Amino acid sequence: LTGFVLLIPEENAFIRLLVATLICSFYAVVLAVVRPYKRVEDDCLAVATSFVLLLFFLTANWTTIFLGIIERSSVDTADAVLGFDNLSGIINS
């Protein structure tokens, strides 16, 4: 269903992540509003899993931004912009 994201060239990986994040957030909102399942528990589980997927995409966005800032500038600039100076806290947790 979202395979069209692969049509975006790999050189634009951040654009791919942005599109995936937008689709995931839109899908989570639609799930919360439409409530397509009969049982409330199923609706809550669907919204929760969409939210977790959205958090994964946001984490990937943040790490991509962090690595881009380090590549173009320095760790101090990345720390000033994002508030962390290495990815070990994100990757190891």
Side-chain angles (χ1 to χ4, degrees), residues 6-77:
L6 294 176
L7 296 174
I8 301 171
E10 194 172 339
E11 295 82 31
N12 299 331
F14 186 71
I15 302 296
R16 278 186 179 183
L17 280 172
L18 271 174
V19 170
T21 303
L22 290 174
I23 290 171
C24 186
S25 59
F26 177 74
Y27 181 72
V29 169
V30 168
L31 269 178
V33 171
V34 173
R35 297 183 181 175
Y37 302 106
K38 289 182 181 180
R39 294 175 32 190
V40 176
E41 298 86 10
D42 292 336
D43 287 325
C44 290
L45 183 62
V47 171
T49 54
S50 292
F51 183 67
V52 168
L53 184 62
L54 181 62
L55 288 177
F56 281 129
F57 283 133
L58 289 174
T59 302
N61 284 333
W62 288 329
T63 56
T64 303
I65 291 170
F66 179 79
L67 292 173
I69 291 173
I70 286 179
E71 190 176 288
R72 289 178 179 83
S73 185
S74 67
V75 175
D76 294 331
T77 306

